[in-house]
Amino acid sequence: MSELEGHSVSLYQQEWSRTAKRLKAASKLIPALAALARFKSTSSASSLKERISELIPEKAAEVKEVKQKYGDRVLGENTVNMAYGGMRGIKGMVWDTSLLDANEGIRFRGLSIPEVQEQLPKPKGASETTPEALFWLLLTGEIPTATQTQSITDELNSRASLPQFVEELIDRCPSTLHPMSQLSLAVNALQHDSQFAKAYHAGINRKDYWDPVYEDSLNLLAKLPLVASRIYRNVFKDGKHGTIDSAADYSQNFASLLGYGENREFADLMRLYLVIHSDHEGGNVSAHTTHLVGSALSDPYLSFAAGLNGLAGPLHGLANQEVLRWVLDMQEKIGTDTPTEDQIRDYCWATLNSGRVVPGYGHAVLRKTDPRYMAQREFALKHLPEDKLFKTVSNMYKVVPGVLTEHGKTKNPWPNVDAHSGVLLRHFGLVEQDFYTVLFGVSRAFGVLSQLIWDRALGFSIERPKSLTTEAIRKMFEKQ
């Protein structure tokens, strides 16, 4: 073994050990964040909407106090490089549903992904929790009971139907129109029935904005599996469409509508996928765009459609399919579906030397292995340990960080969530890569709509940061 190979293996072993320890002891490492979650509600509220109504005065008082005590305090510095570099690192917005730590990864209302998997209710016979349970947590900061989780499932199932004109609109789309374009188109069309838009036109009191925004958000969440599956069946399958099973949870219904419902492991994968992709604090493109457009009092349909258009970008939601394409191209060019670590290393260097990046590695904020990657890896080790593509991805985890470290141009050489999701979907037969971002979009709705409800409940202002010209920046510092 060469010195470089030994270094790569050592890096992999050290990171695997550190990551496992971090994830198991996360609540001990950051007790202040873990304490943010109200683990059990003492409220007698019978519904999520009623519970939110109870929490609004409490949260509004908290925001008022924070603004009164700390309103003129400085959150952080703002440099010229930040202004030119996509505002990366600027602390300039409030997003209460999740917080991303550079070393520990995402926390949903203070809970790490392993804690969410362990503590939130699971459907009978399932090994993963549900986006319905996460939705309750994101909106209330409380871990729901099984009964409360079921109430969300029932509520979504009762709202799951599409207007005929929306079905016809999707059906008339050419199969060559990208699935994300079709999804955005359909969500915009669903705006026809926006309760917030109608209430605003009728003159609703601004203190009550959150109520129709909540109703729109629940309606949109309920309809997304029908929209997404209709696109999938039209573009990639036989154009035949299923119906909602009122006794099934959200992910089981989505799996069935796609045509994979009889596979219990795939339904569990959908639960995991929809949970871990739901929210990643507010600065990413899809979350920030939804928040920005919503701040103009655009309804949830218009706001989320805008977020979807951001998600469709190659630097955001399309990354997962780019990872899978890179891996498959590597296998094809090398001439084997079981490349060795040396072959992977050589291909990585060839990619970097050609001026391209190795997709799925690195993150704008994270500086360690993404816990969402680890959650998918654990799922694969449990359900598909002998899958050849998974073994290749595992070998990449051993090799790529060492290559990127030696290359010296990547701040974080560790894998992110996109490095794994395509492999899992492909294993179960969902091989149509252009559809992967649609799945991401369905998941992301749970996070961004949760925060949008609170944006309106707390009366957040329209977003309007200050911009400068290059000449203005030059003059600002030349005067000094």
Side-chain angles (χ1 to χ4, degrees):
M1 180 182 296
S2 69
E3 181 178 348
L4 176 58
E5 291 171 328
H7 179 61
S8 297
V9 173
S10 177
L11 275 173
Y12 161 74
Q13 292 172 337
Q14 292 172 19
E15 173 63 9
W16 174 261
S17 176
R18 285 196 298 265
T19 300
K21 290 178 180 178
R22 281 197 304 270
L23 295 179
K24 289 181 180 179
S27 62
K28 297 179 181 178
L29 292 174
I30 313 181
L33 279 177
L36 290 176
R38 301 177 183 87
F39 293 105
K40 290 185 179 179
S41 173
T42 58
S43 170
S44 60
S46 59
S47 69
L48 176 58
K49 188 174 183 179
E50 184 180 353
R51 183 61 183 134
I52 295 171
S53 181
E54 292 177 344
L55 290 170
I56 288 174
E58 174 186 329
K59 184 65 177 175
E62 179 188 3
V63 171
K64 182 179 180 180
E65 179 186 13
V66 169
K67 290 171 69 176
Q68 287 177 340
K69 286 185 176 181
Y70 313 114
D72 59 351
R73 299 290 183 88
V74 176
L75 289 173
E77 69 174 357
N78 180 6
T79 68
V80 173
N81 281 338
M82 287 177 170
Y84 281 107
M87 299 192 292
R88 185 166 297 183
I90 291 177
K91 299 178 179 69
M93 66 185 299
V94 175
W95 193 271
D96 281 328
T97 53
S98 64
L99 184 65
L100 180 59
D101 180 85
N103 293 311
E104 300 304 327
I106 195 66
R107 284 179 174 269
F108 301 122
R109 290 286 185 175
L111 296 181
S112 67
I113 286 177
E115 288 169 337
V116 165
Q117 291 178 295
E118 179 183 353
Q119 298 182 38
L120 267 60
K122 302 176 180 65
K124 185 178 181 180
S127 62
E128 299 289 341
T129 189
T130 65
E132 298 99 296
L134 183 74
F135 191 57
W136 186 291
L137 173 68
L138 293 177
L139 278 166
T140 68
E142 300 164 352
I143 294 176
T145 64
T147 300
Q148 289 169 331
T149 301
Q150 185 61 47
S151 72
I152 300 298
T153 299
D154 294 341
E155 184 76 15
L156 292 173
N157 284 344
S158 71
R159 298 172 184 239
S161 62
L162 294 179
Q164 183 177 347
F165 85 93
V166 175
E167 293 182 341
E168 293 174 351
L169 182 66
I170 298 171
D171 292 346
R172 289 174 180 173
C173 287
S175 60
T176 52
L177 183 62
H178 195 283
M180 280 299 287
S181 298
Q182 295 191 42
L183 179 60
S184 176
L185 179 69
V187 171
N188 271 304
L190 288 170
Q191 193 270 346
H192 177 274
D193 296 325
S194 170
Q195 293 190 30
F196 177 79
K198 293 174 182 176
Y200 186 83
H201 181 74
I204 186 174
N205 189 304
R206 67 192 307 270
K207 292 182 178 179
D208 297 323
Y209 283 171
W210 76 272
D211 187 306
V213 168
Y214 175 90
E215 295 298 330
D216 278 354
S217 297
L218 267 289
N219 286 333
L220 178 52
L221 286 170
K223 299 175 191 308
L224 282 175
L226 291 167
V227 171
S229 63
R230 195 172 196 91
I231 294 168
Y232 180 73
R233 301 298 302 181
N234 283 353
V235 175
F236 303 111
K237 300 298 179 181
D238 55 10
K240 297 179 180 178
H241 309 293
T243 57
I244 294 291
D245 178 359
S246 61
D249 66 277
Y250 191 91
S251 304
Q252 177 64 63
N253 267 319
F254 192 19
S256 296
L257 290 167
L258 291 171
Y260 302 90
E262 294 183 1
N263 190 321
R264 294 179 61 180
E265 291 183 353
F266 184 85
D268 259 338
L269 174 60
M270 280 295 96
R271 296 183 184 102
L272 174 66
Y273 188 100
L274 295 178
V275 165
I276 67 175
H277 286 81
S278 62
D279 207 25
H280 217 231
E281 72 174 28
N284 65 76
V285 171
S286 55
H288 188 195
T289 303
T290 304
H291 171 82
L292 169 64
V293 175
S295 77
L297 296 186
S298 296
D299 60 65
Y301 298 97
L302 298 177
S303 302
F304 182 60
L308 286 173
N309 291 336
L311 188 67
L315 296 183
H316 191 15
L318 290 187
N320 56 2
Q321 67 188 65
E322 289 191 345
V323 171
L324 185 57
R325 285 173 180 169
W326 187 91
V327 175
L328 295 174
D329 285 346
M330 174 180 66
Q331 291 181 338
E332 181 179 355
K333 290 179 180 178
I334 293 175
T336 177
D337 57 4
T338 56
T340 65
E341 292 180 23
D342 286 338
Q343 289 174 318
I344 293 172
R345 184 177 295 104
D346 291 342
Y347 193 79
C348 286
W349 277 113
T351 297
L352 296 171
N353 290 335
S354 68
R356 296 175 293 148
V357 300
V358 178
Y361 282 74
H363 191 272
V365 178
L366 283 168
R367 292 298 174 261
K368 298 293 182 180
T369 298
D370 191 335
R372 299 173 299 172
Y373 173 94
M374 297 301 295
Q376 293 178 105
R377 176 175 171 79
E378 293 298 329
F379 185 94
L381 288 169
K382 178 180 179 180
H383 296 290
L384 48 136
E386 299 305 317
D387 182 276
K388 291 182 179 179
L389 201 57
F390 169 58
K391 288 185 175 181
T392 296
V393 168
S394 290
N395 284 334
M396 287 177 62
Y397 187 28
K398 299 176 184 178
V399 171
V400 176
V403 172
L404 295 178
T405 298
E406 183 182 359
H407 188 242
K409 295 184 179 180
T410 304
K411 293 182 179 179
N412 171 22
W414 305 108
N416 59 50
V417 65
D418 299 311
H420 216 306
S421 54
V423 173
L424 298 178
L425 295 168
R426 187 176 181 85
H427 172 82
F428 290 103
L430 208 163
V431 299
E432 297 85 4
Q433 297 169 30
D434 280 345
F435 189 73
Y436 290 177
T437 313
V438 173
L439 297 176
F440 197 163
V442 174
S443 171
R444 186 50 54 94
F446 283 90
V448 299
L449 294 177
S450 295
Q451 182 60 46
L452 193 64
I453 292 167
W454 275 111
D455 289 349
R456 299 291 75 78
L458 298 174
F460 283 3
S461 301
I462 186 170
E463 188 172 309
R464 178 54 169 92
K466 173 63 178 171
S467 64
L468 296 170
T469 64
T470 297
E471 183 62 21
I473 293 173
R474 182 189 299 278
K475 289 181 178 180
M476 182 186 300
F477 295 105
E478 286 178 348
K479 289 180 180 179
Q480 300 175 6

